[in-house]
Amino acid sequence: MATEDLETLGTLNYYLLEGYYRHVQVTVLEATRKYGSDPVLSLYKGLSLLHEGQIQECIREMQLIKDKSTVDLASHALLAHAHKRCRNVDKETVAALDARMKELRKRASEQQIYFLIIVFWHIKNIKSARDFADRLVKQNENFKQAIILKSWIELTSGRDMTAKKAGRLFDQGLADNKDPFGYIGRARCLIKTKKYSHAMESVNQAIVGFPNFVPAQAERMRIYLALMNWDQMVESAQKLLNMKSQYPEALILLTLNTITQNGRFSEAVNQLSELIQAIDRFEPQNPLLYFRCGRLFATVAGRNIQILNQTMTLVERAISLDDNNVEFAIEMAKQLFLMGKFKESNAQYKKCMQLDESSVHALLGSLTCQLVAMDNNIPLQQERNELQDIQDQLEFLTEIKDSTNIDAELFHLKAIHGRLNGRPSEELTEILEAARQTHFKNLGNTPLGADYFMQLNTDFLMMLVSELFNLIPSQPLNSGHASTPALKCVDMVLTTLNQVAPGMHEALFSRSKTLFIAGDMDGAMAMLEKCLENDVTFSPAHLLRAEIHEQHGNYAAVGKYLDTALSYNFEIREHPKYHLLKAKTQKHANDLDEAIKTLKIAMSLPGVKKPLSSFQTKVASSRKSTIPLDNGDRLSIFLELVEAHTSKNETHEAAKVMQDAINAFRGTPEEVRVKIANADLSLKRGDVEQALTMLRAIQPSQPYYIQAKQKMANIYLNHRKDRKLYTSCYRDLYETMPSNHTSLLLGDAYMKVQQPDNAVKIYEAALRKNPRDGALASKVGQALTTTHDFKKVCAWWRCLCVSLCCSTSLFAGDHLLRDGDEKRTKVAAVRTGPASHQVEELQQS
């Protein structure tokens, strides 16, 4: 009998739990061939029909077995529930069924109560299921299947702190009892407590005892993924497909692997097509499965239009099966938004609000569409009224959001709204940091898997990244300059994305940009290599490589990578950054006329004089043919043109371009670069005071502050001939932004104005904080040497040799030899190693 086949019953319960209702019916059909007509199998079939929305078919199936002793109580419970789901509820029939159930319960056996609990559990009547399970286990503590069922009820109840309790129950139910469904339940408990190796042991027990038990293979696949072992997950998925052709979850995880780990979108399109066919064939009446697949892959698609076409098909299938489901309709609106169809998306959100006036997500989506539309098309000055309306609605959402879990999305919208309203970058950074923290907090302890990626929502995170890039400088920060809060925030987001989804080349490329801006050129180059491993034709990566080499002054390599980028994408000839880098190589070759021509071509291209919106940039970055242009690159084109005109003594032309830059970048993080460049221009015109006034206005909290103070210092030294003010600039810098780098800058400044005693104090203070820094040690020795206090020099190097016990550099010997002082050369020679006898010899001489 089917009641004794634990493998079949476990498979049926598992499919119902996973929402694979047509799989239940297929399994029932296969088991019927083995056991014949069995009321227990009919009961499971009835449950699957109910979940597919085939209410009348469920009722007919239950009518056939309602008098079968094993399942009479369960079938009456299912019949009553099915009648309540009808459009026109027959209250008399429901009352009669309830009355009959009361009679049956009085003389029900343990087996009859067991299947009643099964029904309550699968129709989500958790309270009744738990109550009857508790009674049943109390009546018979040796009823192992009842204990395991009670364990599953606890595990799936949604209550906090039930995993450990359920785990103990599973252990009790599995004592001297090999139940495959029990092994799976215990594994799930262990996964919840992150004991993945123990969970794998439990699953393996099920596989060894029941080699054809499909749920065990599926759970092993999940555990490998939770362990971030993608290779083993892929192998397990392929084994599962050999056992169960076109098993949905195996196809889902293989497609997820292709997108997030390998970045092969064209292959993923074919896999999604296969997934759609599999659901059409094996779960054709499962709107929730269509919906979940569509939502999952839309979030990781990276705005790839081919992937989004497939996910839209999945959502359309879901809506065709349940056209009154607001959640499905909202997902369609979201995907229209991802496709860049703002008007259609907003119209769809409006329909959703008509279906459900209380839908917070529909209102949130509509506000997103409105803000993005403003960001794209309407001048800021004309937006005050509409922006005020949106602000009112955002405040309304803030008041009612408690139970909706939309905090992160709200923060994101407030940041966009604030930017359009001209709010300070510091305030916007705080809002976006709150969005990041809230979003990752909501992930909780979800193990890596399909649900994790659904909640992670990589597309939302990349929107945060795009918004944060509006708030950070796009040129490398000076060495020693503290990373900005916005840069730290974007780096934390991208680090997580790179770890869990290394195949998403847009996230890899964005991380390489943050490393480049932070001044970590080696890290940026390594990240670009990973990006190009995924897609060697990704032209933005080649352009950034060229830019890194330009920072190092390696213009031959710049030309090489420009040619490489061009070979993969001829359309980059229409991209401003290509012309910017090309102009820099021409300027380096002293071909100023060609450089000016190239820069003027760049200025005429879209996105330079007026920036692309954040959404246009996001859409552009999803296509190989279009490369996004950030504000830093835009400004570099202006400033390079100013410098080229200035080099040719075309000061009037240079001033015109500079004024255009001032107007274009007012209120952006790049405004500081404009001020520094404008100060340079004033200096070249001979207006020293104007240059200093501009530089003094730059505050420590702003990017490029170190560069501004260095430029001020050089003006005081070279134009004002004021050594005191020269060193005071570096003293201010050291006191405002204390670091190893600013210590070196101040010490070097003292050395430059021949104040070695002050330099020694600064170098020594820095060395106390970084005792293993050989460069600092050399600086101290060099400064001491210039004081001509050679006794102190000897003592210094003796202490250094003892403390470091390693060779440093013989960097002052040649200088001392030129003075013909043999004894001082010996002093310098102590630096070549830790040999103490050299020190003693010097002391005696």
Side-chain angles (χ1 to χ4, degrees), residues 160-217:
D160 294 334
M161 302 301 291
T162 59
K164 289 184 178 180
K165 178 181 178 182
R168 289 193 295 269
L169 285 170
F170 276 119
D171 289 337
Q172 183 183 343
L174 289 168
D176 301 321
N177 177 38
K178 295 182 178 180
D179 187 320
F181 194 51
Y183 288 130
I184 299 303
R186 184 169 64 185
R188 290 236 177 143
C189 290
L190 292 165
I191 289 171
K192 280 200 169 189
T193 56
K194 296 188 180 297
K195 297 178 180 178
Y196 300 123
S197 58
H198 295 297
M200 186 67 78
E201 289 176 9
S202 186
V203 166
N204 286 338
Q205 283 180 285
I207 291 172
V208 170
F210 305 87
N212 298 317
F213 188 49
V214 169
Q217 298 291 344

Side-chain angles (χ1 to χ4, degrees), residues 241-256:
L241 289 173
N242 290 334
M243 290 176 61
K244 193 76 174 176
S245 176
Q246 294 189 310
Y247 188 75
E249 189 174 10
L251 296 175
I252 289 167
L253 295 186
L254 287 175
T255 308
L256 198 60

Side-chain angles (χ1 to χ4, degrees), residues 414-708:
K414 287 178 180 179
I416 298 175
H417 180 271
R419 176 169 56 80
L420 293 176
N421 246 333
R423 302 303 302 164
S425 60
E426 294 82 3
E427 179 183 325
L428 300 180
T429 300
E430 289 179 4
I431 294 172
L432 290 168
E433 170 62 16
R436 182 196 68 81
Q437 291 182 9
T438 303
H439 186 74
F440 283 108
K441 182 180 179 181
N442 289 339
L443 279 173
N445 294 317
T446 307
L448 190 68
D451 288 341
Y452 176 88
F453 278 101
M454 191 105 68
Q455 294 174 49
L456 182 67
N457 195 343
T458 59
D459 190 89
F460 172 74
L461 291 177
M462 289 308 298
M463 285 197 291
L464 283 186
V465 167
S466 179
E467 199 61 36
L468 283 161
F469 268 123
N470 290 321
L471 306 175
I472 61 178
S474 54
Q475 296 302 299
L477 296 174
N478 194 293
S479 177
H481 198 296
S483 179
T484 67
L487 187 59
K488 290 178 181 177
C489 182
V490 77
D491 189 67
M492 284 188 279
V493 172
L494 291 169
T495 298
T496 299
L497 282 176
N498 294 160
Q499 288 172 347
V500 300
M504 300 183 71
H505 61 254
E506 184 190 352
L508 288 171
F509 177 68
S510 296
R511 179 88 198 290
S512 66
K513 283 174 64 179
T514 62
L515 292 169
F516 170 74
I517 293 166
D520 184 359
M521 300 301 168
D522 292 338
M525 194 65 83
M527 196 60 64
L528 286 172
E529 292 296 332
K530 291 181 181 179
C531 182
L532 290 169
E533 282 176 14
N534 289 341
D535 184 1
V536 74
T537 68
F538 189 56
S539 296
H542 293 293
L543 286 184
L544 185 54
R545 288 171 84 179
E547 191 171 7
I548 290 171
H549 283 288
E550 186 270 329
Q551 289 286 325
H552 291 308
N554 187 357
Y555 287 94
V558 173
K560 171 189 169 184
Y561 286 117
L562 286 178
D563 291 340
T564 303
L566 191 62
S567 68
Y568 286 118
N569 183 2
F570 282 109
E571 292 185 24
I572 68 163
R573 289 176 299 182
E574 302 302 317
H575 191 273
K577 190 165 187 174
Y578 173 80
H579 293 286
L580 170 63
L581 292 169
K582 183 179 178 181
K584 287 184 176 183
T585 61
Q586 290 168 336
K587 190 180 80 170
H588 178 74
N590 207 29
D591 192 350
L592 292 175
D593 290 332
E594 285 301 313
I596 289 172
K597 286 181 184 177
T598 303
L599 289 166
K600 285 183 175 178
I601 292 172
M603 289 286 285
S604 67
L605 294 172
V608 178
K609 291 183 178 179
K610 183 180 179 182
L612 297 173
S613 72
S614 59
F615 190 86
Q616 288 172 323
T617 300
K618 174 72 179 171
V619 172
S621 66
S622 69
R623 301 194 301 266
K624 292 181 188 177
S625 59
T626 310
I627 304 164
L629 181 72
D630 57 40
N631 280 338
D633 293 330
R634 289 178 56 228
L635 177 57
S636 293
I637 293 169
F638 282 86
L639 299 186
E640 285 293 328
L641 188 54
V642 169
E643 191 171 332
H645 281 307
T646 304
S647 298
K648 292 193 68 181
N649 293 320
E650 297 171 349
T651 54
H652 180 67
E653 291 296 321
K656 283 172 59 180
V657 177
M658 180 60 73
Q659 188 58 49
D660 289 341
I662 291 169
N663 295 334
F665 295 93
R666 185 175 286 113
T668 72
E670 300 303 322
E671 185 177 15
V672 178
R673 281 181 67 202
V674 178
K675 290 179 180 178
I676 293 173
N678 201 13
D680 277 337
L681 189 60
S682 296
L683 203 59
K684 287 172 183 175
R685 291 198 302 257
D687 193 343
V688 175
E689 189 55 41
Q690 178 66 22
L692 287 171
T693 300
M694 293 177 185
L695 294 171
R696 288 190 195 108
I698 299 171
Q699 300 300 313
S701 60
Q702 294 178 290
Y704 310 111
Y705 174 72
I706 291 178
Q707 291 95 316

Side-chain angles (χ1 to χ4, degrees), residues 68-112:
K68 303 292 182 180
S69 60
T70 306
V71 296
D72 54 356
L73 185 56
S75 59
H76 275 80
L78 187 52
L79 269 171
H81 183 75
H83 275 288
K84 291 174 185 177
R85 290 270 302 272
C86 293
R87 284 187 179 178
N88 299 313
V89 179
D90 187 339
K91 295 181 180 180
E92 291 184 5
T93 301
V94 172
L97 288 167
D98 288 339
R100 177 62 178 157
M101 283 176 61
K102 289 180 181 178
E103 291 179 17
L104 291 171
R105 282 208 304 268
K106 293 176 182 177
R107 49 186 173 81
S109 67
E110 291 178 351
Q111 198 80 346
Q112 289 170 313

Side-chain angles (χ1 to χ4, degrees), residues 12-29:
L12 292 169
N13 281 313
Y14 185 84
Y15 286 156
L16 283 170
L17 198 62
E18 293 297 295
Y20 293 157
Y21 307 121
R22 191 57 59 93
H23 280 66
V24 172
Q25 294 167 38
V26 171
T27 304
V28 165
L29 183 61

